[in-house]
Amino acid sequence: MFISVVVPAYNEEAVLEDCLRALREQDYPGPYEIIIADNASTDRTASVARRWGARVVREPRRGIAHARQAGCAAARGVILAGTDADTVVPRHWLSSIARRFREHPDATVAAGYFLLRDGPFLARALTRLGDAFSPVLARCMPSAWNFCGNNYAVRADAFRAVGGFNVALRYGEDVDLCLRLRRLGRVVYAPEMRVVTSGRGYMRNLWRSTGVYCTDYMWRILSHQFRLDGFAERRSRALRLSGLAVAAAALMTASLWATSSAPLPPEDVPAASRVSAPRTVVTHEAVAQLWETYQSRMSVLTSFLSLAPKRQG
């Protein structure tokens, strides 16, 4: 079967070569093409892609959903596979895709998970945890497992039947597409398709990135489950904000509770004296002191995480 691999790219000359080398060294014996959806890059992304024999499709409208859609629209394959420019796929990736669709003629999607090769230690640990639980989630709660944009393959006819990617979405376009394709057929989880990608998305602000991704992911599932698609963008914005607020409040409360510096009463003080101790009055000064404690502890935590070793390559 003919497979089209679509890779969205915006100013990716520094990492694109590794991605294309992995795609060119596939053991798949069948025909396939590589399409780079150049999302108005200002560097040498297009020339790097052409040097490796990839077809370049220019998409001037900025946004990853626009780029993915433009690349898929130009694709000629019966299977549309997708990954990202900072991702390296295994040598058997295309062979695994073809085999999964042959084994499951009712499937509209075949996809795997990913691991981070760099980035914050906590982000790498969370993705390893996700990789470990993905088979369980895909089997026990299939509607809650959906592919990521760096590792998926879909049937071209099903892709066109649902209209492809929703270009109105700033992110979450991959989960949104998977949920719509699920209504037409089976979503197959393929652990052997696991890819390795960059953790650069988590480097600037780990908590914000994780909170946004998680709350957006949950909203996509709920909106499709209860047919709230028409209100998705407005309500997802509110859900993301509320989710981030809850996460921030929980983190702050846990930190203050765990790092409280208030001394415990000594054991040799009579119980009557301890019971009759005056209650602490919450004042502006007390709140300010707690806030300073929280900030100092978070600073220590951030410094500790930055010392964690980062995997390279």
Side-chain angles (χ1 to χ4, degrees):
M1 59 181 67
F2 189 86
I3 303 176
S4 296
V5 182
V6 177
V7 183
Y10 169 69
N11 289 348
E12 299 285 14
E13 66 170 323
V15 296
L16 184 58
E17 195 164 359
D18 290 337
C19 172
L20 293 175
R21 181 183 292 107
L23 289 172
R24 278 299 175 203
E25 295 176 351
Q26 293 291 296
D27 62 7
Y28 179 58
Y32 70 98
E33 65 176 350
I34 303 172
I35 298 174
I36 300 299
D38 184 6
N39 200 196
S41 297
T42 57
D43 65 354
R44 297 174 55 255
T45 292
S47 61
V48 171
R50 293 189 180 96
R51 188 168 71 244
W52 281 88
R55 185 154 61 102
V56 177
V57 174
R58 180 82 172 175
E59 173 50 68
R61 294 171 296 177
R62 289 288 305 280
I64 193 167
H66 283 293
R68 294 195 199 279
Q69 184 70 2
C72 290
R76 297 170 295 187
V78 296
I79 301 296
L80 306 178
T83 188
D84 288 338
D86 61 346
T87 301
V88 175
V89 303
R91 190 167 182 267
H92 58 268
W93 192 61
L94 291 178
S95 297
S96 299
I97 290 172
R99 178 173 57 83
R100 287 290 182 170
F101 280 111
R102 283 195 299 267
E103 292 174 348
H104 304 281
D106 60 333
T108 57
V109 175
Y113 201 66
F114 66 94
L115 295 176
L116 300 182
R117 64 172 173 266
D118 52 24
F121 171 78
L122 185 58
R124 287 182 279 125
L126 288 174
T127 55
R128 286 197 172 275
L129 189 64
D131 181 57
F133 278 96
S134 284
V136 179
L137 191 64
R139 178 179 293 273
C140 301
M141 297 179 62
S143 61
W145 191 90
N146 299 277
F147 66 70
C148 298
N150 58 20
N151 189 9
Y152 72 93
V154 302
R155 292 193 187 274
D157 54 353
F159 177 87
R160 297 185 180 99
V162 299
F165 290 100
N166 183 352
V167 296
L169 300 178
R170 292 179 59 190
Y171 39 76
E173 78 291 338
D174 44 6
V175 177
D176 174 80
L177 175 63
C178 187
L179 287 164
R180 286 184 282 122
L181 287 169
R182 192 183 293 279
R183 297 172 183 172
L184 299 183
R186 183 178 179 184
V187 173
V188 176
Y189 171 70
E192 72 278 6
M193 286 176 60
R194 184 188 298 108
V195 301
V196 178
T197 191
S198 169
R200 61 186 180 180
Y202 301 92
M203 289 181 182
R204 290 186 178 179
N205 193 322
L206 173 63
W207 300 112
R208 181 182 181 279
S209 299
T210 305
V212 168
Y213 292 156
C214 290
T215 52
D216 184 80
Y217 186 88
M218 292 303 299
W219 169 249
R220 299 293 169 201
I221 295 174
L222 292 173
S223 65
H224 281 269
Q225 183 72 27
F226 298 103
R227 301 295 194 270
L228 302 175
D229 307 56
F231 306 95
E233 193 57 28
R234 183 188 306 171
R235 297 197 181 197
S236 64
R237 209 174 288 125
L239 184 69
R240 284 194 295 269
L241 290 175
S242 62
L244 287 173
V246 171
L251 180 64
M252 183 181 298
T253 302
S255 176
L256 291 174
W257 175 79
T259 59
S260 175
S261 58
L264 294 174
E267 293 298 326
D268 56 348
V269 174
S273 301
R274 285 179 291 182
V275 171
S276 60
R279 291 185 178 182
T280 301
V281 179
V282 179
T283 63
H284 290 293
E285 291 77 9
V287 173
Q289 185 178 5
L290 284 175
W291 175 245
E292 289 178 5
T293 303
Y294 169 75
Q295 288 183 312
S296 65
R297 295 302 186 269
M298 287 304 298
S299 176
V300 172
L301 177 61
T302 303
S303 302
F304 173 76
L305 291 178
S306 67
L307 295 177
K310 295 180 172 57
R311 291 177 56 193
Q312 301 295 333

